[in-house]
Amino acid sequence: MKFLIDRCAGRVLADWLREQGHDVVESRTWGSDPGDEEILRRATLEGRILVSMDKDFGALIFFREHRHCGLVRLPDVPARTRIALMQQILQSHAEELAAGAVVTIRGSRIRVTGVSRGEGN
């Protein structure tokens, strides 16, 4: 799978995904933060699933109907916990994620909604 890791999700998670054989780009390597809309736009243009802890991406996708190729919103937890959660998502929801689902984790609950929008903003 192809991922774009938002700077808040961290280098440790990005490195782990690479070790698992995934194609990973990190927004932190772009220099200054280009803003949420630009991050989501780049992820979509490159066919990448965006991984972030930022709630604003859900608003861009669901309320402003921005195009996307999938989103994983992880909670603000230690890096090793994010890795364990991501591993669980990939084991249980890889097919939905590949189809552009939005995956949100709250506590011990994983919520999978929607699929990618191929048209729109």
Side-chain angles (χ1 to χ4, degrees):
M1 292 182 150
K2 293 171 62 175
F3 292 97
L4 192 159
I5 307 301
D6 191 12
R7 68 182 68 231
C8 63
R11 179 185 290 183
V12 173
L13 177 62
D15 289 344
W16 179 82
L17 284 166
R18 282 188 196 96
E19 290 169 7
Q20 305 309 304
H22 299 286
D23 180 343
V24 178
V25 170
E26 297 176 69
S27 68
R28 69 174 181 79
T29 65
W30 301 342
S32 64
D33 187 346
D36 294 344
E37 288 188 16
E38 179 62 15
I39 291 170
L40 185 57
R41 186 187 74 78
R42 288 188 195 186
T44 302
L45 286 174
E46 296 180 16
R48 294 182 182 280
I49 298 160
L50 178 60
V51 180
S52 182
M53 294 171 15
D54 190 338
K55 296 176 185 176
D56 295 337
F57 291 108
L60 290 173
I61 290 170
F62 290 111
F63 300 114
R64 295 186 57 197
E65 298 185 346
H66 280 253
R67 288 179 24 180
H68 66 95
C69 293
L71 170 68
V72 175
R73 199 180 85 66
L74 297 169
D76 186 9
V77 295
R80 294 292 168 202
T81 303
R82 285 194 296 272
I83 289 171
L85 293 169
M86 194 68 186
Q87 184 173 27
Q88 184 179 356
I89 290 167
L90 291 172
Q91 289 173 349
S92 302
H93 303 286
E95 191 172 306
E96 296 108 307
L97 197 54
V102 174
V103 178
T104 304
I105 299 179
R106 288 203 174 132
S108 61
R109 183 171 171 227
I110 296 175
R111 186 172 129 205
V112 180
T113 56
V115 293
S116 176
R117 291 177 173 82
E119 66 285 329
N121 295 329

